[in-house]
Amino acid sequence: MAESVKVVTGKAFIAHPYIFNPRPESAEIDPGKFTVMVGVPKSDTDTVKRIKDAIAEAIKRQWPEGKTPGGMSMPLKDGDAKFAEDEKKYSHMKGHYYLNAKTTTKPKVFDATVQEILDPKEVSSGDFGKVSLNFKGFDKAGNKGVGVYLNAVQILGKGTSVIGAGNVKDDFAIEEAAEVF
Protein backbone atom coordinates (compact mmCIF):
# COMPACT_ATOMS: atom_id res chain seq x y z
CA MET A 1 0.00 0.00 0.00
CA ALA A 2 1.34 3.44 -0.97
CA GLU A 3 2.43 5.85 1.74
CA SER A 4 0.94 9.33 1.95
CA VAL A 5 2.87 12.59 1.56
CA LYS A 6 2.53 15.25 4.25
CA VAL A 7 2.34 19.04 3.68
CA VAL A 8 1.70 21.82 6.17
CA THR A 9 0.42 24.86 4.31
CA GLY A 10 1.47 28.45 4.75
CA LYS A 11 -1.22 30.95 5.74
CA ALA A 12 -4.43 30.04 3.90
CA PHE A 13 -8.13 30.67 4.32
CA ILE A 14 -10.41 27.92 5.50
CA ALA A 15 -14.01 27.60 4.41
CA HIS A 16 -16.91 25.36 5.32
CA PRO A 17 -15.07 23.88 8.30
CA TYR A 18 -16.57 20.69 9.66
CA ILE A 19 -13.64 20.26 12.02
CA PHE A 20 -15.38 20.00 15.39
CA ASN A 21 -18.28 17.84 14.29
CA PRO A 22 -18.56 15.66 11.18
CA ARG A 23 -20.81 16.53 8.28
CA PRO A 24 -24.35 15.24 8.80
CA GLU A 25 -25.03 11.67 7.70
CA SER A 26 -27.66 13.13 5.36
CA ALA A 27 -25.05 15.30 3.54
CA GLU A 28 -24.66 14.59 -0.17
CA ILE A 29 -20.89 15.05 0.00
CA ASP A 30 -18.69 13.24 2.52
CA PRO A 31 -21.42 12.28 5.03
CA GLY A 32 -20.08 11.56 8.51
CA LYS A 33 -16.63 12.99 7.72
CA PHE A 34 -14.71 15.95 9.06
CA THR A 35 -13.94 18.29 6.16
CA VAL A 36 -12.52 21.70 5.33
CA MET A 37 -11.86 23.66 2.16
CA VAL A 38 -8.40 25.24 2.09
CA GLY A 39 -7.69 28.31 -0.06
CA VAL A 40 -3.99 28.84 -0.75
CA PRO A 41 -2.94 32.21 -2.19
CA LYS A 42 -1.31 31.79 -5.61
CA SER A 43 1.30 34.27 -4.37
CA ASP A 44 2.43 31.67 -1.78
CA THR A 45 4.60 29.93 -4.34
CA ASP A 46 6.35 27.85 -1.66
CA THR A 47 3.13 26.20 -0.44
CA VAL A 48 1.79 25.81 -4.00
CA LYS A 49 5.02 24.08 -5.07
CA ARG A 50 5.00 21.77 -2.03
CA ILE A 51 1.39 20.79 -2.72
CA LYS A 52 2.06 20.15 -6.41
CA ASP A 53 5.16 18.12 -5.49
CA ALA A 54 3.14 16.11 -2.93
CA ILE A 55 0.48 15.36 -5.56
CA ALA A 56 3.16 14.21 -8.02
CA GLU A 57 4.81 12.06 -5.34
CA ALA A 58 1.46 10.54 -4.30
CA ILE A 59 0.83 9.59 -7.93
CA LYS A 60 4.30 8.05 -8.20
CA ARG A 61 3.78 6.05 -5.02
CA GLN A 62 0.33 4.80 -6.07
CA TRP A 63 1.41 3.87 -9.61
CA PRO A 64 5.16 3.14 -9.27
CA GLU A 65 5.36 1.45 -12.65
CA GLY A 66 4.90 4.91 -14.22
CA LYS A 67 1.59 4.11 -15.90
CA THR A 68 -0.47 7.02 -14.59
CA PRO A 69 -4.14 6.47 -15.46
CA GLY A 70 -5.99 9.09 -17.46
CA GLY A 71 -9.04 10.91 -16.16
CA MET A 72 -7.77 11.08 -12.59
CA SER A 73 -9.43 13.25 -9.97
CA MET A 74 -6.91 15.90 -8.96
CA PRO A 75 -7.32 17.78 -5.68
CA LEU A 76 -5.83 21.22 -6.42
CA LYS A 77 -8.33 23.46 -8.21
CA ASP A 78 -8.02 26.99 -9.62
CA GLY A 79 -10.05 29.46 -7.58
CA ASP A 80 -10.01 32.00 -10.44
CA ALA A 81 -12.14 29.59 -12.46
CA LYS A 82 -14.74 29.50 -9.65
CA PHE A 83 -14.55 33.30 -9.41
CA ALA A 84 -15.27 33.53 -13.15
CA GLU A 85 -18.44 31.44 -12.63
CA ASP A 86 -19.91 33.90 -10.12
CA GLU A 87 -17.79 36.88 -9.03
CA LYS A 88 -19.99 37.78 -6.05
CA LYS A 89 -20.47 34.27 -4.68
CA TYR A 90 -16.82 33.25 -5.14
CA SER A 91 -15.03 36.57 -4.57
CA HIS A 92 -12.90 34.94 -1.84
CA MET A 93 -11.52 32.45 -4.40
CA LYS A 94 -9.86 35.03 -6.65
CA GLY A 95 -6.10 34.66 -6.65
CA HIS A 96 -6.18 31.31 -4.84
CA TYR A 97 -5.89 27.62 -5.47
CA TYR A 98 -8.20 25.49 -3.34
CA LEU A 99 -8.60 21.92 -2.23
CA ASN A 100 -10.95 19.96 -0.02
CA ALA A 101 -9.53 17.82 2.76
CA LYS A 102 -11.32 15.20 4.84
CA THR A 103 -10.85 12.61 7.55
CA THR A 104 -12.94 10.11 9.46
CA THR A 105 -11.33 11.05 12.80
CA LYS A 106 -11.71 14.42 14.52
CA PRO A 107 -8.75 16.63 13.64
CA LYS A 108 -6.96 18.68 16.29
CA VAL A 109 -7.59 22.43 16.06
CA PHE A 110 -5.12 24.91 17.55
CA ASP A 111 -4.78 28.66 17.92
CA ALA A 112 -1.73 30.75 16.95
CA THR A 113 0.03 29.80 20.22
CA VAL A 114 -0.63 26.08 19.60
CA GLN A 115 -3.23 25.87 22.35
CA GLU A 116 -6.05 23.51 21.45
CA ILE A 117 -9.33 25.19 20.49
CA LEU A 118 -12.28 23.32 21.94
CA ASP A 119 -15.11 25.78 21.27
CA PRO A 120 -16.46 25.55 17.69
CA LYS A 121 -17.67 29.16 17.94
CA GLU A 122 -14.04 30.30 17.84
CA VAL A 123 -13.65 29.16 14.21
CA SER A 124 -15.59 30.54 11.25
CA SER A 125 -15.63 30.00 7.52
CA GLY A 126 -13.17 32.57 6.14
CA ASP A 127 -10.68 32.48 9.03
CA PHE A 128 -6.97 32.20 8.25
CA GLY A 129 -4.63 29.48 9.36
CA LYS A 130 -2.27 26.68 8.48
CA VAL A 131 -3.46 23.18 7.70
CA SER A 132 -1.62 19.87 8.04
CA LEU A 133 -2.54 17.58 5.14
CA ASN A 134 -1.65 14.17 3.73
CA PHE A 135 -1.84 13.43 -0.01
CA LYS A 136 -2.38 9.87 -1.15
CA GLY A 137 -3.24 8.21 -4.43
CA PHE A 138 -6.42 6.16 -4.62
CA ASP A 139 -7.82 3.58 -7.02
CA LYS A 140 -11.23 2.54 -5.75
CA ALA A 141 -14.27 1.21 -7.59
CA GLY A 142 -13.15 2.71 -10.88
CA ASN A 143 -12.30 6.10 -9.36
CA LYS A 144 -8.65 7.11 -9.50
CA GLY A 145 -6.86 10.18 -8.27
CA VAL A 146 -5.18 11.86 -5.34
CA GLY A 147 -7.07 12.36 -2.08
CA VAL A 148 -6.32 14.98 0.55
CA TYR A 149 -6.59 13.92 4.16
CA LEU A 150 -6.93 16.37 7.04
CA ASN A 151 -4.58 16.05 10.02
CA ALA A 152 -4.88 19.30 11.98
CA VAL A 153 -5.71 23.01 11.68
CA GLN A 154 -4.00 26.00 13.26
CA ILE A 155 -6.17 29.15 13.31
CA LEU A 156 -4.04 32.28 12.96
CA GLY A 157 -6.71 34.95 12.70
CA LYS A 158 -10.20 36.03 11.76
CA GLY A 159 -11.05 36.57 8.13
CA THR A 160 -14.00 37.73 6.08
CA SER A 161 -16.93 35.33 6.16
CA VAL A 162 -17.20 33.20 3.03
CA ILE A 163 -20.50 31.49 3.78
CA GLY A 164 -22.32 33.48 1.12
CA ALA A 165 -24.31 35.70 3.46
CA GLY A 166 -23.16 38.77 1.54
CA ASN A 167 -22.88 42.28 2.83
CA VAL A 168 -25.81 43.47 4.95
CA LYS A 169 -25.44 46.99 3.50
CA ASP A 170 -25.98 45.53 0.01
CA ASP A 171 -29.15 43.76 1.16
CA PHE A 172 -30.82 46.43 3.28
CA ALA A 173 -31.27 50.19 3.31
CA ILE A 174 -31.60 52.33 6.41
CA GLU A 175 -35.27 52.45 7.38
CA GLU A 176 -37.20 54.35 9.98
CA ALA A 177 -38.49 52.24 12.84
CA ALA A 178 -41.79 50.68 11.86
CA GLU A 179 -44.80 50.24 14.05
CA VAL A 180 -45.85 46.74 15.00
CA PHE A 181 -48.44 45.40 12.54
Side-chain angles (χ1 to χ4, degrees), residues 7-8 11 14 28 39 50 65 67 69 74 78 84 88 104 112 118 125-126 141 149 165:
V7 172
V8 176
K11 186 177 176 183
I14 63 167
E28 288 184 34
R50 289 185 294 115
E65 62 280 351
K67 295 179 183 176
M74 299 301 282
D78 189 343
K88 189 172 182 179
T104 56
L118 301 173
S125 192
Y149 303 92

Side-chain angles (χ1 to χ4, degrees), residues 59 62-63 65-74 138-139 144-145:
I59 290 169
Q62 181 68 32
W63 296 279
E65 62 280 351
K67 295 179 183 176
T68 305
M72 289 194 332
S73 174
M74 299 301 282
F138 64 85
D139 186 348
K144 297 171 177 49

